[in-house]
Amino acid sequence: DLMDNYTIYFRHVLTNSFYPVLQRAIGVGSAFEGWSPREQDSVYRLLIPMTPPRGHTFHLEQDTAGQRHGRNFRVHVQLECTCSREQQGESMLCFLHHPEEELRSNQDRSPLHTLCTGSYLDVHKPARWFYQLVRAIWPALPQSHTWHLVLLPSRRSCQFKVTNGAESFHIEVLFGVRQGASDIFVSSQPRGAGTPRTTWPETYAVAEMKFFKYIARQAPPDSLHLRCLQFFSRVQLGIGFPTYTIKTIVMHLLNTRAVSRWRRRHFLSRLIDINRSLRLSLVQKRLNQFIVGNQRLPEEISLPPDVQMAEPPNLFHCLVMDPGARSQAIGEYLDLQRR
């Protein structure tokens, strides 16, 4: 509700501007999928799709350097001719064909000057711009009468808390550019430490969220598939396996085990399945990313052809390259067994 209210004001404030058009926020990640391992400390993560402003186009260019284990892109912002719009009566000068002096005195600046490094969208700049929007619009929202806004530091996203004394919500807003009409985006979420400012990693968060919604519609009323995921993720907190590892294993199992086999009476059996799958992945030093190259996804999840046909990245690639990492992972698995 909060982000929907924000979106209404974003559209009002940004009408006829030359900033990216902000679409309705999409809730992604564990808090919206229903299985947060830390129920009292959940981060509500939202992806806001951005489309180019008038007179501009976004072109995704794949960055092939060092992408053996994940695909990264750059968002190339290009100018397009709008002279025909001007002839049709639109109050807009063409960025390509009008003199710089006339543009500067009669029209807002292009995002090439405000949100880009060179001609590529710079993750840090949209995040800083969005922080300013959130702060400026907050007093106009109905939530501002009973909630308190606290902005939190972040360079590649916009993070803030809203509190009313009894409750507190930690919200992280990421920015994305959709690949065609698919459920795959490039997003501002970092791939790892030192991700360049003009690098936008490919994200499958929206497709994964839609997969969990599909399973929820198919599952019986007493299905405990989310409880299995939540329980196992919570047990291994602090051990070292990323929560995304457990989520990936459960998604693979949900895709191969009938939803009728996740009922209350199957709880222990499914936990044993998760445990065995983790052990087998460690032995084989391979855990395939769930979305990429998956030919068994529900039809309602739309993938670009290159994602659908690609070889899935190995989430355990570090175990192949580093014997020490594999020994550590085996030790962490044994710790998990003892728990």
Side-chain angles (χ1 to χ4, degrees):
D1 290 342
L2 171 64
M3 293 310 300
D4 282 347
N5 285 340
Y6 258 126
T7 300
I8 293 170
Y9 279 88
F10 291 155
R11 289 174 180 167
H12 176 71
V13 170
L14 299 175
T15 298
N16 296 324
S17 78
F18 293 99
Y19 283 99
V21 180
L22 303 177
Q23 306 298 325
R24 187 179 185 184
I26 305 171
V28 297
S30 62
F32 288 99
E33 292 163 351
W35 60 273
S36 293
R38 303 178 187 270
E39 283 184 323
Q40 304 306 316
D41 191 26
S42 296
V43 176
Y44 290 84
R45 188 165 286 117
L46 300 115
L47 179 73
I48 292 189
M50 298 190 304
T51 55
R54 300 170 301 154
H56 299 78
T57 56
F58 289 164
H59 291 281
L60 299 183
E61 297 180 359
Q62 189 171 353
D63 182 0
T64 57
Q67 288 201 75
R68 292 177 58 195
H69 312 298
R71 305 202 316 166
N72 296 323
F73 289 79
R74 296 197 297 170
V75 181
H76 191 192
V77 181
Q78 293 183 315
L79 300 174
E80 61 176 4
C81 178
T82 56
C83 292
S84 60
R85 296 186 189 181
E86 185 182 1
Q87 293 167 3
Q88 294 167 7
E90 289 194 26
S91 57
M92 176 182 176
L93 303 179
C94 179
F95 284 104
L96 281 174
H97 298 119
H98 279 80
E100 184 71 28
E101 297 77 14
E102 187 178 357
L103 287 168
R104 193 162 44 239
S105 59
N106 293 286
Q107 192 161 275
D108 289 341
R109 304 180 80 193
S110 160
L112 286 169
H113 297 103
T114 55
L115 299 180
C116 293
T117 293
S119 58
Y120 292 95
L121 207 57
D122 183 320
V123 172
H124 292 195
K125 293 179 181 179
R128 191 160 54 241
W129 162 64
F130 194 81
Y131 265 115
Q132 295 168 351
L133 279 178
V134 167
R135 181 188 291 111
I137 291 173
W138 173 253
L141 301 186
Q143 286 88 349
S144 67
H145 301 301
T146 52
W147 293 78
H148 177 61
L149 173 71
V150 179
L151 294 169
L152 304 172
S154 178
R155 290 187 173 182
R156 296 184 66 96
S157 63
C158 178
Q159 296 194 42
F160 55 94
K161 282 188 176 182
V162 289
T163 59
N164 69 354
E167 291 183 285
S168 176
F169 294 94
H170 182 173
I171 299 163
E172 180 179 20
V173 178
L174 300 163
F175 316 102
V177 177
R178 189 188 297 269
Q179 296 191 34
S182 75
D183 293 315
I184 305 302
F185 290 76
V186 299
S187 86
S188 59
Q189 191 166 20
R191 177 77 69 190
T195 304
R197 293 170 59 143
T198 55
T199 294
W200 295 70
E202 193 168 67
T203 178
Y204 315 106
V206 173
E208 290 168 357
M209 176 272 297
K210 291 184 71 172
F211 175 75
F212 277 102
K213 283 191 172 182
Y214 169 82
I215 293 295
R217 290 196 299 271
Q218 305 298 316
D222 65 340
S223 176
L224 293 182
H225 62 283
L226 292 177
R227 285 294 183 190
C228 288
L229 174 51
Q230 185 178 50
F231 178 86
F232 209 96
S233 299
R234 187 174 296 173
V235 167
Q236 65 87 46
L237 284 175
I239 286 181
F241 294 112
T243 304
Y244 190 69
T245 295
I246 309 303
K247 175 184 173 180
T248 300
I249 288 172
V250 171
M251 287 191 293
H252 280 297
L253 290 172
L254 284 168
N255 214 28
T256 55
R257 302 278 193 282
V259 290
S260 60
R261 296 182 60 82
W262 292 82
R263 306 178 79 123
R264 186 177 300 276
R265 63 178 179 268
H266 302 126
F267 184 70
L268 183 58
S269 297
R270 297 294 79 81
L271 290 181
I272 291 172
D273 284 347
I274 297 169
N275 186 54
R276 286 174 176 168
S277 295
L278 176 58
R279 178 171 56 83
L280 183 61
S281 296
L282 290 171
V283 169
Q284 296 178 342
K285 296 181 284 190
R286 183 162 194 89
L287 176 60
N288 287 342
Q289 204 283 334
F290 177 68
I291 295 293
V292 178
N294 192 336
Q295 303 297 316
R296 300 186 55 174
L297 291 176
E299 291 184 1
E300 63 198 65
I301 298 177
S302 174
L303 304 184
D306 59 333
V307 173
Q308 191 170 29
M309 304 306 296
E311 180 72 20
N314 178 15
L315 301 186
F316 279 175
H317 64 88
C318 60
L319 307 187
V320 178
M321 307 302 296
D322 184 357
R326 182 171 183 271
S327 297
Q328 180 180 343
I330 294 295
E332 291 168 349
Y333 174 77
L334 294 175
D335 287 344
L336 179 59
Q337 286 289 89
R338 285 188 283 271
R339 283 193 181 187

